[in-house]
Amino acid sequence: MNLPVIKFALPFGSEVRWSDMLAVLVSSDPLPLVDMLDAGPVAKVDVEREAAVDPSNRPDIIVNADGRRLAVIEIKVLAGLGPQQLDGYARAVPDAGAYLVVFPQRLMIDLAADRRWQGVSWETLLDKYRSSQNEWVATCAAAWLEHLDRSLPKVNASTVWDDLVDGEDFVIAMRARMSWVYGQIAPPPPVRHDLVSSAAGTSWVTRLYADAKAPGYRVIAEVEEYLPVREFPKTASHLGLL
């Protein structure tokens, strides 16, 4: 079957459009999501987009079922999480049955800091919707999966770190590589690891950390791609250009 070309409706730079489209799918057929959450049976499902639950919190999607909060869903594509973003949503909507963060499998979001939230990949969620009894929903989900598969770098143990495909987005390529590294690390206790923006604030890094023997301190190591462009301010200053 020839699938529709959905990339123009779902650009990777617009989480708003991804949120809108997911809201359309869930509104058209809520059963795949209900089954995934093991929350059925339900009679009536209502979907809210960017509902202003309080003056400072607007979760991407809230799903209500039979008068109860079924789920709060935060949508991620390329962006990371803001400081205390998930905690604010959970406090603003404390009665949800599930709290989900949806992100591409190859661009992981680390949720270790807030155990209330469950990470679900777009691939897992859309695979559920690909089996929808609603033909339009199933076709849209299949096209969406194809869009993800074609657009994001495929990274494995044989990937050469700096071997980019012609025209490939450098930032996404590096983030996908670091996401893969994060998924491969399983440090022994008491060492922990997460996926965060680097201390320099310019790229995603896999960070390993453990409490130091001195109270109140941590030992931290960051696995990071070093970019020569960072030398520019130092070199320019040395040459009197700044």
Side-chain angles (χ1 to χ4, degrees):
M1 179 179 66
N2 291 326
L3 295 172
V5 179
I6 205 170
K7 64 179 182 179
F8 300 110
L10 294 169
F12 273 77
S14 177
E15 289 181 353
V16 170
R17 290 199 194 178
W18 287 58
S19 300
D20 288 342
M21 185 65 81
L22 181 59
V24 171
L25 261 61
V26 176
S27 297
S28 301
D29 183 5
L31 290 182
L33 177 64
V34 171
D35 289 345
M36 189 181 75
L37 297 176
D38 196 23
V42 298
K44 182 181 179 182
V45 172
D46 174 63
V47 178
E48 300 178 63
R49 268 287 287 124
E50 291 195 331
V53 292
D54 65 28
S56 57
N57 289 289
R58 300 173 65 92
D60 287 330
I61 295 176
I62 296 178
V63 182
N64 304 303
D66 299 337
R68 58 189 171 93
R69 304 280 197 189
L70 184 65
V72 176
I73 304 176
E74 174 63 16
I75 302 301
K76 290 299 174 188
V77 185
L78 300 182
L81 293 167
Q84 305 301 314
Q85 181 181 8
L86 297 183
D87 182 62
Y89 292 163
R91 285 188 285 105
V93 189
D95 57 344
Y99 298 88
L100 307 179
V101 179
V102 185
F103 52 83
Q105 188 173 348
R106 300 177 206 168
L107 302 176
M108 296 178 65
I109 296 290
D110 181 63
L111 298 173
D114 197 328
R115 299 296 183 181
R116 290 169 296 182
W117 290 80
Q118 174 187 352
V120 178
S121 73
W122 279 107
E123 290 82 351
T124 297
L125 181 56
L126 292 171
D127 189 59
K128 295 286 186 184
Y129 271 90
R130 184 165 54 181
S131 301
S132 170
Q133 296 302 306
N134 183 311
E135 184 176 354
W136 182 88
V137 168
T139 301
C140 182
W144 201 335
L145 281 167
E146 185 177 82
H147 175 40
L148 274 163
D149 185 59
R150 287 183 174 180
S151 302
L152 293 180
K154 295 178 175 65
V155 180
N156 54 44
S158 64
T159 299
V160 177
W161 196 266
D162 60 353
D163 186 16
L164 303 183
V165 177
D166 185 35
E168 186 173 18
D169 185 286
F170 174 79
V171 175
I172 295 177
M174 291 298 102
R175 182 176 169 191
R177 284 157 169 73
M178 193 56 64
S179 181
W180 182 86
V181 170
Y182 165 79
Q184 303 307 304
I185 294 178
V191 179
R192 291 167 284 173
H193 78 303
D194 55 13
L195 185 64
V196 297
S197 179
S198 73
T202 56
S203 59
W204 288 77
V205 299
T206 297
R207 181 177 66 173
L208 294 94
Y209 61 96
D211 293 333
K213 290 184 178 180
Y217 290 90
R218 279 181 174 178
V219 177
I220 299 175
E222 293 183 350
V223 181
E224 181 176 9
E225 169 72 11
Y226 185 81
L227 302 177
V229 71
R230 293 183 190 173
E231 295 293 337
F232 177 76
K234 182 170 61 178
T235 303
S237 179
H238 177 71
L239 296 175
L241 299 176
L242 291 179

